[in-house]
Amino acid sequence: MSGLVISNLSAGYGEAAVLRDVSLDLAARDVTVVLGANGAGKTTLLRAISGLLKQVSGTIEFEGRQMLGAKPGTILRAGIAHVPQGRGTFFDLTVEENLRVGGLSRPARDIDGDMDIWYERLPKLGTRRNQLAGSLSGGEQQMLAIARAFMARPRYVLFDEPSLGLAPLVVEQLFDLLGTLSRESGIGMLVVEQNADLALEIATKAYVIEAGRIVASGTSAEMANNDAIRRAYIGD
Ligand SMILES: Nc1ncnc2c1ncn2[C@@H]1O[C@H](COP(=O)(O)OP(=O)(O)OP(=O)(O)O)[C@@H](O)[C@H]1O
Ligand SMILES: [Mg+2]
């Protein structure tokens, strides 16, 4: 089934064009990775998909429906959630309040049950449910950001550099969680990363973005075996 199909997407801020003619074919139930250095346009790409940028052209189709130009709330209700760079949790709300905010687009009667599912899956969130998000460790905040996005019951989730600033062991746990969620739920995921090795392990397909353009794409195995990509994004 077609998931998220992006064609000739251009986007920018003011005079500056940042994305140029970006086309991505993102399968509905797979994990896709977009690799790119600082400033390549990864955050701009995710913000364009989520409806957070005004200056956009091209087409973004989700499950056959045109999304370009729709408001962020419409895009969320259509089934696309976004875990922003730097997590985006509300520091002065508790874990539980953050999860409730994540579920605002859904019927109130579903929220408590869904929160319990996340407390069971991520017991650290359960024991800290009344703690302020700002007092969580970086890894716990990333888990909260993921759970919060999933509270909207999305069918597709955008992750902006989820591993940023986390210790290597925590990064491994994070990608384990994303891989498990993907396998169990079949929810599609687009993960933008500079840290390629673990992201490629859970992905089916990968793209490379440089200076706002897609410069390479292939299966994750092809990308993991590509010398130029290994040097640039895997560090060997
Ligand atoms: N609000 C903004 N106004 C003007 N220019 C911006 C704005 N946000 C980003 N840019 C520019 O767009 C380009 C791409 O930025 P973007 O944040 O998308 O990169 P990125 O790949 O996410 O980088 P990083 O890995 O550092 O997060 C950069 O040159 C940046 O300076
Ligand atoms: Mg970014």
Side-chain angles (χ1 to χ4, degrees), residues 13-14 16 18 36-45 85 160-161 194 209:
Y13 311 92
V18 173
N38 287 123
K42 303 181 301 297
T43 296
T44 304
L45 170 65
Q85 186 166 347
D160 198 343
E161 297 203 53
Q194 304 196 44
I209 184 169

